[in-house]
Amino acid sequence: MLNRFFIICSSSKLSAKYFKFFAVCTIILFSNQTIAQNNNDTEVEYDEIDTQIEPEIEDRIYNVSTLRNQPEYPGGMRRFYMDIHKSFRVPEGLTGVYKVYVSFVIEIDGTMSDIKISRDPGHGIGAEAKRVLENIDKKWIVAKIDGEPVRSRHILPINIDYTR
């Protein structure tokens, strides 16, 4: 193997190319190691770091799909959708079938907060859905973890049929 290397290096054009190639590779290799060593030199004062990584259980918002003991609307989800459709006002002259996605947080006291429209089909449907959800007075039965009530986030579709 070394004989082959020396034969290749004996040619002046090839030896110059290989020399440049190996020189560049060597510089890149050692510069990366130097940068990595310099980045590891930083000492961390553990007294300055906040040891509380996760928020308090009261502040944490759980995705409803990950909870074993999920929140419930009084009367069930069918009643929830009935209450929405009962209060929903159809924008003038709009026909068709639409789907709007909403997200909201069910607080520890059972109220809804942080109501957002995730996917709005337009035509004022998203704004109307938000208005309807903000005006729902019924409180949810909250989700619980180890018997303690927790906040949870719902993402739900609302189907609107204006063909009738």
Side-chain angles (χ1 to χ4, degrees), residues 68-97:
R68 195 179 280 171
N69 200 356
Q70 295 189 355
E72 295 178 29
Y73 188 76
M77 289 306 290
R78 173 175 252 171
R79 182 68 194 176
F80 176 70
Y81 282 116
M82 286 173 54
D83 288 348
I84 289 173
H85 287 284
K86 184 171 48 175
S87 302
F88 208 92
R89 288 190 218 130
V90 179
E92 291 268 336
L94 192 63
T95 60
V97 178

Side-chain angles (χ1 to χ4, degrees), residues 106-118:
I106 299 172
E107 298 293 340
I108 292 175
D109 65 354
T111 60
M112 289 189 295
S113 69
D114 195 25
I115 299 169
K116 295 179 183 173
I117 306 303
S118 302

Side-chain angles (χ1 to χ4, degrees), residues 43-74:
E43 288 190 27
V44 177
E45 294 287 330
Y46 289 104
D47 294 337
E48 297 173 9
I49 295 176
D50 186 12
T51 56
Q52 182 182 1
I53 296 173
E54 294 184 8
E56 292 293 322
I57 195 160
E58 299 91 30
D59 296 334
R60 191 177 312 152
I61 299 174
Y62 293 89
N63 186 334
V64 74
S65 64
T66 63
L67 295 171
R68 195 179 280 171
N69 200 356
Q70 295 189 355
E72 295 178 29
Y73 188 76

Side-chain angles (χ1 to χ4, degrees), residues 22 32 68 74 79 81 93 99 106 130 137 144 151 157:
F22 286 123
N32 284 342
R68 195 179 280 171
R79 182 68 194 176
Y81 282 116
K99 184 180 284 194
I106 299 172
K130 185 172 183 176
D137 293 334
K144 294 184 179 184
R151 299 169 74 202

